[in-house]
Amino acid sequence: MTSLTVIPLVTKLSSKVIRILGCNPGPMTLQGTNTYLVGTGHRRVLIDSGDEDTAPQYTKLLEDVLEKEKATIEHLIVTHWHHDHIGGIEPVQKLLASKAQTKYQSLKIWKLPRSLADKENSENDCNEQWTSLQDNQLIEVEGAKLVVKHTPGHTTDHACLLLLNDNVLFSGDCILGEGTTVFEDLHDYMLSLENILKMAPYVIYPGHGPVVEDPDSRIRQYIEHRLKRESAILKVLQDSKNPMTEMDIVKCIYKETPEYLWQAAASNVNHHLQKLLKEHKVLGETGSWCIVT
């Protein structure tokens, strides 16, 4: 891992939001998954639940926060299906049940439905214990009104959440506090970035990494980074007289990248090519691509 900003395990970000780290740092999770307790009253919203493997450490932190706040959780909103966001659902349920002496204390779990293609990428699906969210749905507790914003690309079921009145965006893995994120569909991801730009959030609370204090600049950097890579791919294809593979393209535009990372770069190039194919800018299929003339 590269050097990352140090983030405390528990941080009160505002009178309405407390960030609780999932205790699962790693190359893909940075300092760990950020979960957020939102609201000011007794019953609150928890955004994401961390990873199953580090659930004992995480739920202890969560328990301490709930006791200090004299609060419980009414709604658990999962931003998307990845294990570091859904893995702690059952441990959180058990924590609440142990405090209330009733099954799961009527906790309601919410998530956008996944597409068939998304489900084929992993069997990890949290037992389908949730109620399906809808785009622009409002979830409200004392002190907080959260609007669901469907932002596919990272996954098909990805949701951001906009905290009304404060204009705070919980971005899940669509925008990170440090570095760039991965995606399954670049075409959809770029559209989601454009939609977030139009929301003009005042601040972003990401799924990983520190708070993003300059949302407009960060979102534009994300978009520009992808467009620059896209332009380089199109230039290589335009200059070639023959169809090219993803690895052919990598060798042309990733010359400064260590060779052991070329396979990952080829996967990234393929995502770009699939987007360009949807936009009718290239022709071909995996392993053979050319420019549209």
Side-chain angles (χ1 to χ4, degrees), residues 3-16:
S3 179
L4 297 172
T5 303
V6 176
I7 297 178
L9 291 174
V10 178
T11 308
K12 190 152 191 173
L13 298 173
S14 73
S15 61
K16 300 178 180 180

Side-chain angles (χ1 to χ4, degrees), residues 42-61:
H42 175 62
R43 293 184 175 273
R44 302 193 187 182
V45 174
L46 180 65
I47 300 175
D48 285 328
S49 66
D51 202 324
E52 183 179 6
D53 292 340
T54 54
Q57 302 96 301
Y58 170 70
T59 53
K60 181 63 174 68
L61 285 178

Side-chain angles (χ1 to χ4, degrees), residues 15 23 36 47 67 95 114 153 156 191 218:
S15 61
C23 303
Y36 298 94
I47 300 175
E67 288 182 355
L95 169 65
R114 291 167 61 185
T156 58
L191 291 176
R218 180 66 60 85

Side-chain angles (χ1 to χ4, degrees), residues 158-202:
H158 193 280
C160 292
L161 298 158
L162 187 63
L163 182 61
L164 296 184
N165 301 322
D166 298 65
N167 199 24
V168 167
L169 186 75
F170 298 90
S171 65
D173 283 5
C174 194
I175 297 168
L176 304 183
E178 292 178 327
T180 56
T181 191
V182 297
F183 40 80
E184 292 178 353
D185 189 309
L186 181 56
H187 180 266
D188 289 350
Y189 180 64
M190 293 292 281
L191 291 176
S192 291
L193 289 178
E194 292 287 355
N195 287 335
I196 293 173
L197 195 62
K198 292 174 185 175
M199 294 178 206
Y202 172 72

